Amino acid sequence: MLKYFFLVWILVGLMIAGIYGIPGAKDSRPPLRLFPDMDDQDKVSAQTPGGSRLPVAGTVPNTGDDGVFSVEFGAGRTGYYYTGLTDGYFGTGMPEELELTEENVAQFLARGEERYGIYCAICHGESGDGQGTVAMLGVNGVRNLHETGEAGFDAENYPDGRLFEVITNGKGQMGAYGMNIPVNDRWAIVAYVRALQEAREISNNEEETN
Ligand code: HEC
């Protein structure tokens, strides 16, 4: 009985050596690969000619907290400028980080108008009345940014910081734009939406007095 046991062990050993070769022995033939694991493939390897190319012009680094990307877009930052919050409440007013002066405020608003046209008008409409292309195509519930009153959205009592936060993180059906619009531009949009609301109010008042 024991004799067969050893015989089987020797046979199994020979079989393994037969398939995989003797450990340490050199062989000029390519190894037998039962599972190739994508070892052989057509690709350009790093650090080989043609492998170390510079990024395409205009590439934005996404390199963690110290990279330009996260700072500019405010990821993981605190404070009013980055969150719209002061002491846990939505604040109102333009943050001082924007360094707004009488000279540059018109340019800032123009930037807001341009960015609003790119990112918001498609849904909320050029004038902010919620009648953009998307709404006209039949999507319900796009907010009229001039709406006031108890029910729903109240433009008059809506803090700037909350507007900033909605652009950053979205709300309900509206998606988040924090990863697409840098912090500075978000504030420019906030300022422009305020200008739109102001303009609407003035024209409403004129209608009433006429
Ligand atoms: C794809 C369409 C779409 C785009 C683009 C869009 N929004 Fe909205 N927005 C909506 C919809 C829909 C709602 C209503 C969300 C809800 O209450 O479900 C909304 C709601 C809002 C509200 C009200 C939030 C509240 O508290 O009720 C504000 C303010 C707002 N959007 C501002 C903006 C600004 C500023 C931009 C541009 C950066 C923008 N939106 C881009 C669709 C859009």
PDB file of all heavy atoms in Angstrom, residues 70-95:
ATOM      1  N   SER A  70      -8.434  71.395  -8.092  1.00  0.00           N
ATOM      2  CA  SER A  70      -9.315  71.394  -6.928  1.00  0.00           C
ATOM      3  C   SER A  70      -9.439  72.773  -6.300  1.00  0.00           C
ATOM      4  O   SER A  70     -10.485  73.121  -5.801  1.00  0.00           O
ATOM      5  CB  SER A  70      -8.823  70.430  -5.858  1.00  0.00           C
ATOM      6  OG  SER A  70      -8.085  69.433  -6.435  1.00  0.00           O
ATOM      7  N   VAL A  71      -8.344  73.538  -6.287  1.00  0.00           N
ATOM      8  CA  VAL A  71      -8.407  74.860  -5.667  1.00  0.00           C
ATOM      9  C   VAL A  71      -9.339  75.750  -6.474  1.00  0.00           C
ATOM     10  O   VAL A  71     -10.252  76.378  -5.938  1.00  0.00           O
ATOM     11  CB  VAL A  71      -7.007  75.496  -5.572  1.00  0.00           C
ATOM     12  CG1 VAL A  71      -7.123  76.905  -5.000  1.00  0.00           C
ATOM     13  CG2 VAL A  71      -6.094  74.653  -4.724  1.00  0.00           C
ATOM     14  N   GLU A  72      -9.137  75.746  -7.763  1.00  0.00           N
ATOM     15  CA  GLU A  72      -9.940  76.597  -8.626  1.00  0.00           C
ATOM     16  C   GLU A  72     -11.421  76.232  -8.547  1.00  0.00           C
ATOM     17  O   GLU A  72     -12.294  77.087  -8.647  1.00  0.00           O
ATOM     18  CB  GLU A  72      -9.437  76.446 -10.063  1.00  0.00           C
ATOM     19  CG  GLU A  72      -9.903  77.523 -10.975  1.00  0.00           C
ATOM     20  CD  GLU A  72      -9.465  77.260 -12.405  1.00  0.00           C
ATOM     21  OE1 GLU A  72      -8.581  76.415 -12.634  1.00  0.00           O
ATOM     22  OE2 GLU A  72     -10.043  77.892 -13.291  1.00  0.00           O
ATOM     23  N   PHE A  73     -11.693  74.945  -8.332  1.00  0.00           N
ATOM     24  CA  PHE A  73     -13.074  74.485  -8.307  1.00  0.00           C
ATOM     25  C   PHE A  73     -13.603  74.312  -6.879  1.00  0.00           C
ATOM     26  O   PHE A  73     -14.743  73.937  -6.685  1.00  0.00           O
ATOM     27  CB  PHE A  73     -13.215  73.191  -9.106  1.00  0.00           C
ATOM     28  CG  PHE A  73     -13.088  73.413 -10.583  1.00  0.00           C
ATOM     29  CD1 PHE A  73     -11.839  73.581 -11.161  1.00  0.00           C
ATOM     30  CD2 PHE A  73     -14.203  73.510 -11.398  1.00  0.00           C
ATOM     31  CE1 PHE A  73     -11.712  73.814 -12.522  1.00  0.00           C
ATOM     32  CE2 PHE A  73     -14.084  73.749 -12.755  1.00  0.00           C
ATOM     33  CZ  PHE A  73     -12.832  73.908 -13.320  1.00  0.00           C
ATOM     34  N   GLY A  74     -12.727  74.551  -5.895  1.00  0.00           N
ATOM     35  CA  GLY A  74     -13.173  74.628  -4.506  1.00  0.00           C
ATOM     36  C   GLY A  74     -13.419  73.302  -3.816  1.00  0.00           C
ATOM     37  O   GLY A  74     -14.010  73.283  -2.738  1.00  0.00           O
ATOM     38  N   ALA A  75     -12.963  72.188  -4.400  1.00  0.00           N
ATOM     39  CA  ALA A  75     -13.236  70.889  -3.787  1.00  0.00           C
ATOM     40  C   ALA A  75     -12.644  70.806  -2.385  1.00  0.00           C
ATOM     41  O   ALA A  75     -11.473  71.094  -2.183  1.00  0.00           O
ATOM     42  CB  ALA A  75     -12.678  69.771  -4.665  1.00  0.00           C
ATOM     43  N   GLY A  76     -13.463  70.429  -1.420  1.00  0.00           N
ATOM     44  CA  GLY A  76     -12.991  70.213  -0.062  1.00  0.00           C
ATOM     45  C   GLY A  76     -12.615  71.476   0.691  1.00  0.00           C
ATOM     46  O   GLY A  76     -12.030  71.393   1.765  1.00  0.00           O
ATOM     47  N   ARG A  77     -12.932  72.653   0.145  1.00  0.00           N
ATOM     48  CA  ARG A  77     -12.562  73.909   0.815  1.00  0.00           C
ATOM     49  C   ARG A  77     -13.697  74.397   1.710  1.00  0.00           C
ATOM     50  O   ARG A  77     -14.845  73.997   1.525  1.00  0.00           O
ATOM     51  CB  ARG A  77     -12.253  74.981  -0.230  1.00  0.00           C
ATOM     52  CG  ARG A  77     -11.168  74.583  -1.186  1.00  0.00           C
ATOM     53  CD  ARG A  77      -9.845  75.067  -0.689  1.00  0.00           C
ATOM     54  NE  ARG A  77      -8.779  74.199  -1.140  1.00  0.00           N
ATOM     55  CZ  ARG A  77      -7.507  74.546  -1.077  1.00  0.00           C
ATOM     56  NH1 ARG A  77      -7.160  75.714  -0.594  1.00  0.00           N
ATOM     57  NH2 ARG A  77      -6.582  73.705  -1.491  1.00  0.00           N
ATOM     58  N   THR A  78     -13.358  75.262   2.631  1.00  0.00           N
ATOM     59  CA  THR A  78     -14.385  75.834   3.500  1.00  0.00           C
ATOM     60  C   THR A  78     -14.368  77.354   3.368  1.00  0.00           C
ATOM     61  O   THR A  78     -13.479  77.921   2.740  1.00  0.00           O
ATOM     62  CB  THR A  78     -14.140  75.448   4.966  1.00  0.00           C
ATOM     63  OG1 THR A  78     -12.803  75.823   5.294  1.00  0.00           O
ATOM     64  CG2 THR A  78     -14.324  73.964   5.195  1.00  0.00           C
ATOM     65  N   GLY A  79     -15.337  77.985   3.989  1.00  0.00           N
ATOM     66  CA  GLY A  79     -15.420  79.452   3.953  1.00  0.00           C
ATOM     67  C   GLY A  79     -16.455  79.921   2.939  1.00  0.00           C
ATOM     68  O   GLY A  79     -16.827  79.183   2.021  1.00  0.00           O
ATOM     69  N   TYR A  80     -16.901  81.154   3.124  1.00  0.00           N
ATOM     70  CA  TYR A  80     -17.987  81.710   2.307  1.00  0.00           C
ATOM     71  C   TYR A  80     -17.685  81.649   0.810  1.00  0.00           C
ATOM     72  O   TYR A  80     -18.523  81.230   0.014  1.00  0.00           O
ATOM     73  CB  TYR A  80     -18.240  83.164   2.737  1.00  0.00           C
ATOM     74  CG  TYR A  80     -19.395  83.820   2.022  1.00  0.00           C
ATOM     75  CD1 TYR A  80     -20.665  83.229   2.028  1.00  0.00           C
ATOM     76  CD2 TYR A  80     -19.234  85.026   1.343  1.00  0.00           C
ATOM     77  CE1 TYR A  80     -21.728  83.824   1.368  1.00  0.00           C
ATOM     78  CE2 TYR A  80     -20.299  85.632   0.678  1.00  0.00           C
ATOM     79  CZ  TYR A  80     -21.537  85.022   0.696  1.00  0.00           C
ATOM     80  OH  TYR A  80     -22.587  85.603   0.042  1.00  0.00           O
ATOM     81  N   TYR A  81     -16.480  82.043   0.439  1.00  0.00           N
ATOM     82  CA  TYR A  81     -16.105  82.082  -0.975  1.00  0.00           C
ATOM     83  C   TYR A  81     -16.274  80.720  -1.648  1.00  0.00           C
ATOM     84  O   TYR A  81     -16.739  80.629  -2.777  1.00  0.00           O
ATOM     85  CB  TYR A  81     -14.654  82.555  -1.093  1.00  0.00           C
ATOM     86  CG  TYR A  81     -14.077  82.529  -2.481  1.00  0.00           C
ATOM     87  CD1 TYR A  81     -14.579  83.345  -3.493  1.00  0.00           C
ATOM     88  CD2 TYR A  81     -12.991  81.705  -2.779  1.00  0.00           C
ATOM     89  CE1 TYR A  81     -14.033  83.328  -4.769  1.00  0.00           C
ATOM     90  CE2 TYR A  81     -12.443  81.693  -4.049  1.00  0.00           C
ATOM     91  CZ  TYR A  81     -12.964  82.505  -5.043  1.00  0.00           C
ATOM     92  OH  TYR A  81     -12.418  82.481  -6.298  1.00  0.00           O
ATOM     93  N   TYR A  82     -15.934  79.655  -0.925  1.00  0.00           N
ATOM     94  CA  TYR A  82     -15.969  78.317  -1.528  1.00  0.00           C
ATOM     95  C   TYR A  82     -17.297  77.596  -1.339  1.00  0.00           C
ATOM     96  O   TYR A  82     -17.585  76.622  -2.030  1.00  0.00           O
ATOM     97  CB  TYR A  82     -14.860  77.444  -0.950  1.00  0.00           C
ATOM     98  CG  TYR A  82     -13.482  77.850  -1.411  1.00  0.00           C
ATOM     99  CD1 TYR A  82     -12.582  78.445  -0.546  1.00  0.00           C
ATOM    100  CD2 TYR A  82     -13.087  77.638  -2.726  1.00  0.00           C
ATOM    101  CE1 TYR A  82     -11.317  78.825  -0.972  1.00  0.00           C
ATOM    102  CE2 TYR A  82     -11.838  78.016  -3.168  1.00  0.00           C
ATOM    103  CZ  TYR A  82     -10.952  78.607  -2.282  1.00  0.00           C
ATOM    104  OH  TYR A  82      -9.717  78.980  -2.709  1.00  0.00           O
ATOM    105  N   THR A  83     -18.105  78.002  -0.355  1.00  0.00           N
ATOM    106  CA  THR A  83     -19.312  77.228  -0.030  1.00  0.00           C
ATOM    107  C   THR A  83     -20.603  78.053  -0.036  1.00  0.00           C
ATOM    108  O   THR A  83     -21.684  77.484  -0.106  1.00  0.00           O
ATOM    109  CB  THR A  83     -19.191  76.617   1.384  1.00  0.00           C
ATOM    110  OG1 THR A  83     -19.052  77.691   2.326  1.00  0.00           O
ATOM    111  CG2 THR A  83     -17.984  75.699   1.483  1.00  0.00           C
ATOM    112  N   GLY A  84     -20.488  79.381   0.076  1.00  0.00           N
ATOM    113  CA  GLY A  84     -21.680  80.213   0.204  1.00  0.00           C
ATOM    114  C   GLY A  84     -22.201  80.263   1.634  1.00  0.00           C
ATOM    115  O   GLY A  84     -23.218  80.893   1.902  1.00  0.00           O
ATOM    116  N   LEU A  85     -21.481  79.576   2.546  1.00  0.00           N
ATOM    117  CA  LEU A  85     -21.925  79.513   3.935  1.00  0.00           C
ATOM    118  C   LEU A  85     -21.059  80.396   4.838  1.00  0.00           C
ATOM    119  O   LEU A  85     -19.839  80.443   4.687  1.00  0.00           O
ATOM    120  CB  LEU A  85     -21.826  78.075   4.458  1.00  0.00           C
ATOM    121  CG  LEU A  85     -22.791  77.045   3.878  1.00  0.00           C
ATOM    122  CD1 LEU A  85     -22.308  75.640   4.186  1.00  0.00           C
ATOM    123  CD2 LEU A  85     -24.198  77.241   4.424  1.00  0.00           C
ATOM    124  N   THR A  86     -21.740  81.115   5.767  1.00  0.00           N
ATOM    125  CA  THR A  86     -21.003  81.756   6.857  1.00  0.00           C
ATOM    126  C   THR A  86     -21.606  81.252   8.146  1.00  0.00           C
ATOM    127  O   THR A  86     -22.810  81.404   8.369  1.00  0.00           O
ATOM    128  CB  THR A  86     -21.127  83.296   6.830  1.00  0.00           C
ATOM    129  OG1 THR A  86     -22.438  83.636   6.360  1.00  0.00           O
ATOM    130  CG2 THR A  86     -20.113  83.933   5.900  1.00  0.00           C
ATOM    131  N   ASP A  87     -20.788  80.645   8.979  1.00  0.00           N
ATOM    132  CA  ASP A  87     -21.244  80.060  10.249  1.00  0.00           C
ATOM    133  C   ASP A  87     -22.444  79.146  10.047  1.00  0.00           C
ATOM    134  O   ASP A  87     -23.394  79.168  10.836  1.00  0.00           O
ATOM    135  CB  ASP A  87     -21.622  81.167  11.255  1.00  0.00           C
ATOM    136  CG  ASP A  87     -20.416  82.037  11.602  1.00  0.00           C
ATOM    137  OD1 ASP A  87     -19.300  81.503  11.563  1.00  0.00           O
ATOM    138  OD2 ASP A  87     -20.612  83.234  11.882  1.00  0.00           O
ATOM    139  N   GLY A  88     -22.430  78.360   9.005  1.00  0.00           N
ATOM    140  CA  GLY A  88     -23.486  77.376   8.796  1.00  0.00           C
ATOM    141  C   GLY A  88     -24.743  77.909   8.135  1.00  0.00           C
ATOM    142  O   GLY A  88     -25.673  77.157   7.889  1.00  0.00           O
ATOM    143  N   TYR A  89     -24.788  79.224   7.849  1.00  0.00           N
ATOM    144  CA  TYR A  89     -25.957  79.785   7.171  1.00  0.00           C
ATOM    145  C   TYR A  89     -25.545  80.350   5.818  1.00  0.00           C
ATOM    146  O   TYR A  89     -24.414  80.804   5.654  1.00  0.00           O
ATOM    147  CB  TYR A  89     -26.579  80.916   7.993  1.00  0.00           C
ATOM    148  CG  TYR A  89     -27.201  80.435   9.276  1.00  0.00           C
ATOM    149  CD1 TYR A  89     -26.477  80.468  10.459  1.00  0.00           C
ATOM    150  CD2 TYR A  89     -28.499  79.941   9.292  1.00  0.00           C
ATOM    151  CE1 TYR A  89     -27.033  80.001  11.646  1.00  0.00           C
ATOM    152  CE2 TYR A  89     -29.062  79.483  10.479  1.00  0.00           C
ATOM    153  CZ  TYR A  89     -28.323  79.513  11.646  1.00  0.00           C
ATOM    154  OH  TYR A  89     -28.879  79.048  12.808  1.00  0.00           O
ATOM    155  N   PHE A  90     -26.472  80.340   4.866  1.00  0.00           N
ATOM    156  CA  PHE A  90     -26.170  80.935   3.569  1.00  0.00           C
ATOM    157  C   PHE A  90     -26.080  82.443   3.719  1.00  0.00           C
ATOM    158  O   PHE A  90     -26.996  83.067   4.249  1.00  0.00           O
ATOM    159  CB  PHE A  90     -27.226  80.566   2.531  1.00  0.00           C
ATOM    160  CG  PHE A  90     -27.157  79.124   2.138  1.00  0.00           C
ATOM    161  CD1 PHE A  90     -28.195  78.257   2.397  1.00  0.00           C
ATOM    162  CD2 PHE A  90     -26.023  78.635   1.501  1.00  0.00           C
ATOM    163  CE1 PHE A  90     -28.110  76.921   2.042  1.00  0.00           C
ATOM    164  CE2 PHE A  90     -25.925  77.299   1.142  1.00  0.00           C
ATOM    165  CZ  PHE A  90     -26.977  76.443   1.418  1.00  0.00           C
ATOM    166  N   GLY A  91     -24.974  82.980   3.254  1.00  0.00           N
ATOM    167  CA  GLY A  91     -24.758  84.416   3.382  1.00  0.00           C
ATOM    168  C   GLY A  91     -25.199  85.157   2.134  1.00  0.00           C
ATOM    169  O   GLY A  91     -25.595  84.550   1.134  1.00  0.00           O
ATOM    170  N   THR A  92     -25.141  86.462   2.197  1.00  0.00           N
ATOM    171  CA  THR A  92     -25.469  87.292   1.043  1.00  0.00           C
ATOM    172  C   THR A  92     -24.392  88.348   0.862  1.00  0.00           C
ATOM    173  O   THR A  92     -23.790  88.806   1.826  1.00  0.00           O
ATOM    174  CB  THR A  92     -26.873  87.907   1.208  1.00  0.00           C
ATOM    175  OG1 THR A  92     -27.835  86.961   0.725  1.00  0.00           O
ATOM    176  CG2 THR A  92     -27.042  89.179   0.380  1.00  0.00           C
ATOM    177  N   GLY A  93     -24.129  88.667  -0.379  1.00  0.00           N
ATOM    178  CA  GLY A  93     -23.062  89.611  -0.697  1.00  0.00           C
ATOM    179  C   GLY A  93     -21.936  88.903  -1.412  1.00  0.00           C
ATOM    180  O   GLY A  93     -21.805  87.678  -1.315  1.00  0.00           O
ATOM    181  N   MET A  94     -21.145  89.662  -2.147  1.00  0.00           N
ATOM    182  CA  MET A  94     -20.037  89.088  -2.886  1.00  0.00           C
ATOM    183  C   MET A  94     -18.822  88.926  -1.966  1.00  0.00           C
ATOM    184  O   MET A  94     -18.460  89.860  -1.257  1.00  0.00           O
ATOM    185  CB  MET A  94     -19.669  90.010  -4.064  1.00  0.00           C
ATOM    186  CG  MET A  94     -20.711  90.020  -5.177  1.00  0.00           C
ATOM    187  SD  MET A  94     -20.775  88.439  -6.059  1.00  0.00           S
ATOM    188  CE  MET A  94     -22.494  87.992  -5.839  1.00  0.00           C
ATOM    189  N   PRO A  95     -18.207  87.734  -1.950  1.00  0.00           N
ATOM    190  CA  PRO A  95     -17.058  87.511  -1.067  1.00  0.00           C
ATOM    191  C   PRO A  95     -15.867  88.401  -1.441  1.00  0.00           C
ATOM    192  O   PRO A  95     -15.686  88.733  -2.619  1.00  0.00           O
ATOM    193  CB  PRO A  95     -16.719  86.044  -1.281  1.00  0.00           C
ATOM    194  CG  PRO A  95     -17.407  85.637  -2.522  1.00  0.00           C
ATOM    195  CD  PRO A  95     -18.558  86.542  -2.724  1.00  0.00           C
TER     196      PRO A  95
END
